[in-house]
Amino acid sequence: MEIRELRYFVAVAEELHFGEAAQRLGMAQPPLSRAITQLERRLGIALLERTSRKVTLTAAGDVLLAEGRAILSAVTAAERRTRRAATAHPSLVLAVKSGTAGELLTKLLDAYAAEPGAATVELLLCEAHQHQLLLQDGQADVALLHLPFDSAAGLDTETLYTEGQVAILPASHPLASRSQIRMADVTTLPELPMARWPGPSGSYPEGPGAEVRNLTQLFQLIALGRTTVVIPESASADLRRDLAAVPVLDAPPVATAIAWPPHSRLRTVADLIRVATRL
Amino acid sequence: MEIRELRYFVAVAEELHFGEAAQRLGMAQPPLSRAITQLERRLGIALLERTSRKVTLTAAGDVLLAEGRAILSAVTAAERRTRRAATAHPSLVLAVKSGTAGELLTKLLDAYAAEPGAATVELLLCEAHQHQLLLQDGQADVALLHLPFDSAAGLDTETLYTEGQVAILPASHPLASRSQIRMADVTTLPELPMARWPGPSGSYPEGPGAEVRNLTQLFQLIALGRTTVVIPESASADLRRDLAAVPVLDAPPVATAIAWPPHSRLRTVADLIRVATRL
DNA sequence: TGCAGCGATACCTGGTCGGTATCGATCTGC
DNA sequence: GCAGATCGATACCGACCAGGTATCGCTGCA
């Protein structure tokens, strides 16, 4: 199996249409058909069911689609990382969800900078769930993320610390003066539906709450009395004066973790992880 | 970058000798030289430093070696999994370190077998640290392993339960009658050096203790008064009569976890994991 | 029934993969 | 210090295969 064949198969499996897949690949349709047929013959397996009107995946094709995508991104990651390793200046790209771990991040960067042989750390601010892609295709070397919210599938992680969660409410809201509340208290407010974050696919779950992408948007909507949210305690540092944070007793604890691709051989990554776990 | 080129590069990078690499690949040396040169030219990066007497890896080459190995095993895994998915009978290969999780394993298999649509579960008994390879190259679908002993780098895991550790001693040993001991008590016995297990690379760490590969060997050597060991409590069920297990208070807790490759799309794997976490 | 859409097939051309022969450099031993 | 051995690079060649165009055959639809 060659990368080229995988790229072809993934394109066809995603488009489920030879002509459009060929166009996306910048080639003519006949060689694409032939390449797929040959791949199937070499594997001895049918990957696609085709009539002259419709193309569908077989069970085997479904598996190969998932595997193939992973391999393709691993290949582009390999190229990127190799290229990076060849440049003289050792640098390190750290992906951080904007608004995450303010104080921890400062301490981490300071502590790492004090290490002998520390590389320049580039910060790559990203949106929720984007870490994984960035690490997987080699655009980032390390990431800070929140478990169990951010998926760390296929990554190695080390938990740095855990914390409780707080509900963010308009300062004038009746619950805002409470010293602590429970999940049930905030999830059942009809006038303040919980804000919705985009899922791993980038689409929003169904629900009445506002759709938000970052903390600024979120805080503005909460101040306007349109929504509320339960977030890790540390994300509520330096809150606007018109908002209040109330600890939610039974919200699941959130871990801030450092994550890296499992086969990383970069000394700089190992150093950063070591420093982080010692904080 | 093509798989073929990666395979060539990994061979050369491992042998550090074009001639032997070519032999291992079953080809002549000149086309191999040319393929590597072309790969370097396309990447625009030197991967190898060669004099006519010695070949060494550049920093970039070192990175690509690690990435390349991962990609190659991902490719063979993809082929194997695709082929498996094409067979009519859905089956599931579960890798278990021999001697692990006796009771838990029974319960898991029973519970899974009771699921609607359960696949036939094949057990693949393996030695320490082998799980990872088996999962990575697609020979197994799921594994039971012990954290933090077995590395789960690049795998997704779910912890099933945690337990303490016990020291295994000859029944006649003075410490054997104690109800509990500490690590310091067993690590400092000059007449009973701790047994050594093979590391992830397959080689044994330095030390005075006996080299062992499995529990049978181990127990025999302990009974003979040659060594001792600290292992998870559950592994000491049904101990020989001439051995004793003593809880070690300050030994790190051991988690038995179920692990699977991060991109697994098999419904059967998802089912097994769900059943396992509910146990 | 005729047409449009789509994948498969037939056929051609150029690139490239892999082979053999050989060169040039470097290390070794007498 | 020189001859031979070792090893990677280069030159050249044949076979294969990737990719292109033209066209066929099937299928759903008006």
Side-chain angles (χ1 to χ4, degrees):
Chain A
M1 214 163 43
E2 285 301 314
I3 295 291
R4 188 183 51 87
E5 298 176 302
L6 267 186
R7 207 176 345 252
Y8 290 180
F9 172 72
V10 169
V12 175
E14 284 179 354
E15 303 287 346
L16 290 177
H17 189 295
F18 280 76
E20 290 179 27
Q23 195 169 2
R24 175 172 134 189
L25 292 166
M27 66 188 291
Q29 168 261 321
L32 178 59
S33 278
R34 205 181 37 191
I36 301 286
T37 311
Q38 183 176 333
L39 174 62
E40 288 179 306
R41 215 186 43 229
R42 272 214 288 262
L43 289 174
I45 291 173
L47 301 171
L48 300 164
E49 305 275 359
R50 25 219 218 258
T51 69
S52 70
R53 305 301 292 175
K54 216 159 86 173
V55 177
T56 55
L57 282 173
T58 63
D62 193 56
V63 168
L64 188 59
L65 174 57
E67 301 281 334
R69 280 179 177 144
I71 292 173
L72 291 184
S73 77
V75 168
T76 70
E79 288 187 15
R80 235 180 236 132
R81 296 211 184 98
T82 307
R83 203 159 272 131
R84 293 261 316 279
T87 68
H89 267 297
S91 75
L92 197 56
V93 180
L94 174 62
V96 189
K97 195 162 52 177
S98 28
T100 288
E103 198 190 351
L104 179 78
L105 184 54
T106 319
K107 282 201 300 191
L108 173 59
L109 293 178
D110 286 350
Y112 176 68
E115 285 283 298
T120 325
V121 176
E122 255 174 80
L123 284 184
L124 186 56
L125 295 178
C126 59
E127 310 232 307
H129 302 291
Q130 214 185 339
H131 317 81
Q132 213 181 340
L133 283 176
L134 292 174
L135 287 178
Q136 261 168 19
D137 65 8
Q139 295 189 59
D141 300 307
V142 209
L144 283 183
L145 42 76
H146 279 154
L147 299 175
F149 295 146
D150 303 316
S151 136
L155 304 175
D156 279 14
T157 59
E158 194 75 54
T159 298
L160 300 184
Y161 80 143
T162 26
E163 58 185 325
Q165 298 198 66
V166 294
I168 308 292
L169 298 161
S172 58
H173 193 276
L175 286 177
S177 54
R178 297 264 290 272
S179 65
Q180 56 190 38
I181 56 180
R182 304 193 150 267
M183 282 303 279
D185 295 328
V186 275
T187 51
T188 55
L189 299 172
E191 79 284 10
L192 278 188
M194 302 283 284
R196 288 173 294 139
W197 298 93
S201 63
S203 62
Y204 289 87
E206 287 297 308
E211 301 183 343
V212 296
R213 303 201 74 86
N214 59 54
L215 289 179
T216 317
Q217 290 177 356
L218 178 62
F219 288 165
Q220 185 164 11
L221 286 170
I222 298 177
L224 291 168
R226 296 302 186 86
T227 188
T228 184
V229 77
V230 173
I231 55 173
E233 203 185 331
S234 65
S236 69
D238 311 317
L239 210 57
R240 304 161 48 141
R241 256 175 309 168
D242 50 0
L243 297 181
V246 184
V248 180
L249 276 187
D250 56 348
V254 175
T256 302
I258 186 166
W260 63 96
H263 301 95
S264 178
R265 307 249 318 147
L266 299 172
R267 189 188 45 75
T268 47
V269 171
D271 285 348
L272 184 67
I273 294 165
R274 191 165 33 75
V275 169
T277 52
R278 278 191 200 157
L279 279 183
Chain B
M1 214 165 40
E2 285 300 315
I3 296 291
R4 187 182 51 87
E5 298 176 302
L6 266 185
R7 205 174 347 252
Y8 291 179
F9 172 72
V10 169
V12 174
E14 283 179 355
E15 304 286 346
L16 291 178
H17 188 297
F18 279 76
E20 291 179 28
Q23 196 169 0
R24 176 172 133 190
L25 292 166
M27 65 187 292
Q29 169 260 321
L32 178 58
S33 278
R34 205 182 35 189
I36 301 286
T37 311
Q38 184 175 334
L39 174 61
E40 287 179 307
R41 215 187 43 229
R42 271 213 288 263
L43 289 173
I45 291 172
L47 301 170
L48 300 163
E49 304 276 358
R50 30 260 241 194
T51 69
S52 70
R53 305 302 291 176
K54 217 159 83 174
V55 177
T56 54
L57 283 172
T58 63
D62 194 56
V63 169
L64 188 59
L65 174 57
E67 301 281 335
R69 279 179 177 145
I71 291 173
L72 291 183
S73 76
V75 169
T76 70
E79 288 187 15
R80 233 179 237 135
R81 297 211 184 99
T82 306
R83 202 160 273 131
R84 293 260 318 278
T87 70
H89 267 297
S91 75
L92 198 55
V93 180
L94 173 63
V96 188
K97 196 162 52 177
S98 27
T100 287
E103 199 191 351
L104 179 77
L105 184 54
T106 319
K107 282 201 300 192
L108 174 57
L109 293 178
D110 287 350
Y112 177 67
E115 284 282 299
T120 326
V121 175
E122 255 174 80
L123 284 184
L124 186 56
L125 295 178
C126 60
E127 310 232 306
H129 301 293
Q130 215 185 338
H131 316 81
Q132 213 181 340
L133 283 177
L134 291 174
L135 287 178
Q136 261 168 20
D137 65 8
Q139 294 189 59
D141 301 308
V142 209
L144 284 182
L145 42 75
H146 279 155
L147 299 176
F149 295 146
D150 303 315
S151 136
L155 304 175
D156 278 13
T157 60
E158 194 75 54
T159 298
L160 301 183
Y161 81 134
T162 25
E163 57 185 325
Q165 297 198 67
V166 294
I168 308 293
L169 297 161
S172 57
H173 193 277
L175 285 177
S177 53
R178 299 263 291 271
S179 66
Q180 54 191 39
I181 56 180
R182 303 193 152 267
M183 281 303 279
D185 296 326
V186 277
T187 51
T188 56
L189 299 171
E191 79 282 9
L192 279 187
M194 302 283 285
R196 287 173 296 138
W197 297 93
S201 64
S203 62
Y204 289 87
E206 287 296 309
E211 301 184 341
V212 295
R213 302 201 76 85
N214 59 54
L215 289 179
T216 317
Q217 290 177 356
L218 178 63
F219 288 166
Q220 185 164 10
L221 286 170
I222 298 177
L224 290 169
R226 298 301 186 87
T227 189
T228 185
V229 77
V230 174
I231 55 173
E233 204 184 332
S234 65
S236 70
D238 311 316
L239 211 55
R240 301 162 49 141
R241 258 176 307 167
D242 51 359
L243 297 181
V246 184
V248 180
L249 277 186
D250 55 348
V254 175
T256 302
I258 187 166
W260 63 96
H263 300 95
S264 179
R265 306 250 317 149
L266 299 172
R267 189 188 45 75
T268 48
V269 170
D271 285 348
L272 184 67
I273 294 164
R274 191 164 33 74
V275 169
T277 52
R278 277 190 200 156
L279 279 184

